[in-house]
């Protein structure tokens, strides 16, 4: 029987929630060239997979953060799945904006997190880690304790790993970047030769450029 992390890695690839194109890179909004692109909103269209993700995240909360009292998603992509997890656990739910709303109540946190509560943050995807750190700061400014962060997937950029460590954020991913790459090779989604490209890109995503002269 496949381990949950391996099964999830395969399912994300099959659903095109993770796309790998080493030869025809994507261009991110930041301007970075990238051989990988995440579109986790697609997961919501697959009820069986959506339920599997919900169950696995809920298990992590129960097993690793038994003191947790609420779930708070980092806006906006993590809101739907975070809501499902909170519902499965019977927990209060809230979400954290990047910046306070510029009208009305000017909320940074949408929902009701009571001071003193122990909160698990949820991110659908960690890139630089900056939004996760801001969310932790917002939750703690509200008088709560951010006991940990769960993410569906993380690029595991060195800068993000350091940033989260420096902010004393305990992070758990449903599956790792390396597990995703191995699943992609075993599924023949990519060629073994593409592994070095995807691994090299992760070491310097801002400076990486595609090499169209590679030989296979």
């Amino acid at each position: 029987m496949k381990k949950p992390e391996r099964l999830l890695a395969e399912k994300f690839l099959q659903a095109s929630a993770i796309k790998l194109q080493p030869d025809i890179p994507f261009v991110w909004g930041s301007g970075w060239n990238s051989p990988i692109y995440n579109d986790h909103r697609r997961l919501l269209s697959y009820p069986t997979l959506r339920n599997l993700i919900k169950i696995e995240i809920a298990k992590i909360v129960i097993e690793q953060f038994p003191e947790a009292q609420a779930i708070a998603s980092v806006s906006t992509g993590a809101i739907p799945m975070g809501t499902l997890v909170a519902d499965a656990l019977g927990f209060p739910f809230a979400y954290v904006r990047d910046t306070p709303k510029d009208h009305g109540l000017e909320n940074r946190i949408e929902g009701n997190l009571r001071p003193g509560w122990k909160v698990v943050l949820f991110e659908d995807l960690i890139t630089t880690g900056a939004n996760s750190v801001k969310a932790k700061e917002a939750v703690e400014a509200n008088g709560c304790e951010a006991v940990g962060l769960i993410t569906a997937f993380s690029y595991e950029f060195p800068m993000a790993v350091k940033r989260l460590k420096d902010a004393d954020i305990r992070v758990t991913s449903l599956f790792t970047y390396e597990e995703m790459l191995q699943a992609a090779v075993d599924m023949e989604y990519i060629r073994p030769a593409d592994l070095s490209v995807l691994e090299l890109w992760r070491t310097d995503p801002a400076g990486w450029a595609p090499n169209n002269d590679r030989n296979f």
Side-chain angles (χ1 to χ4, degrees):
M1 181 179 293
K2 294 179 181 177
K3 294 182 178 180
E5 53 268 28
R6 174 54 182 264
L7 178 61
L8 285 165
E10 292 179 358
K11 295 293 185 182
F12 272 57
L13 289 165
Q14 290 166 349
S16 293
I18 296 177
K19 298 182 180 181
L20 304 176
Q21 293 183 183
D23 295 334
I24 310 174
F26 302 96
V27 179
W28 286 4
S30 60
W32 292 359
N33 290 299
S34 172
I36 177 174
Y37 187 79
N38 278 258
D39 185 9
H40 290 185
R41 290 173 177 83
R42 293 181 61 89
L43 300 169
L44 301 172
S45 299
Y46 298 87
T48 300
L49 177 53
R50 186 179 66 210
N51 192 53
L52 174 62
I53 295 168
K54 176 187 71 176
I55 290 170
E56 290 302 319
I57 296 171
K59 283 172 58 180
I60 292 172
V61 174
I62 292 169
E63 293 172 0
Q64 298 190 25
F65 307 104
E67 71 275 34
Q69 297 168 283
I71 301 291
S73 283
V74 181
S75 66
T76 58
I79 293 174
M81 193 58 66
T83 305
L84 292 174
V85 173
D87 188 59
L89 293 169
F91 279 7
F93 175 79
Y95 69 89
V96 186
R97 294 179 178 274
D98 293 343
T99 57
K101 198 162 58 171
D102 61 3
H103 60 279
L105 297 176
E106 300 182 350
N107 291 335
R108 178 74 186 279
I109 296 175
E110 299 290 1
N112 182 23
L113 293 181
R114 296 180 183 175
W117 274 358
K118 298 182 185 301
V119 179
V120 172
L121 297 169
F122 175 64
E123 275 265 40
D124 68 315
L125 173 68
I126 296 177
T127 305
T128 67
N131 287 340
S132 301
V133 174
K134 289 180 182 178
K136 178 180 186 260
E137 292 171 348
V139 165
E140 293 183 341
N142 194 64
C144 299
E145 180 184 353
V147 296
L149 169 67
I150 300 173
T151 182
F153 180 76
S154 171
Y155 289 108
E156 297 178 312
F157 294 142
M159 59 180 171
V161 172
K162 182 178 186 303
R163 175 175 281 147
L164 295 168
K165 182 178 180 180
D166 289 347
D168 193 27
I169 298 177
R170 178 183 171 189
V171 183
T172 302
S173 300
L174 289 183
F175 57 94
T176 68
Y177 188 85
E178 292 299 332
E179 287 166 340
M180 181 275 297
L181 291 183
Q182 190 56 59
V185 171
D186 292 346
M187 294 165 61
E188 298 184 349
Y189 187 107
I190 59 173
R191 299 159 294 192
D194 291 328
L195 272 177
S196 60
V197 176
L198 287 153
E199 291 171 343
L200 179 63
W201 166 79
R202 189 175 55 169
T203 64
D204 183 20
W208 181 82
N211 180 3
N212 295 322
D213 297 324
R214 286 186 296 138
N215 294 316
F216 300 99

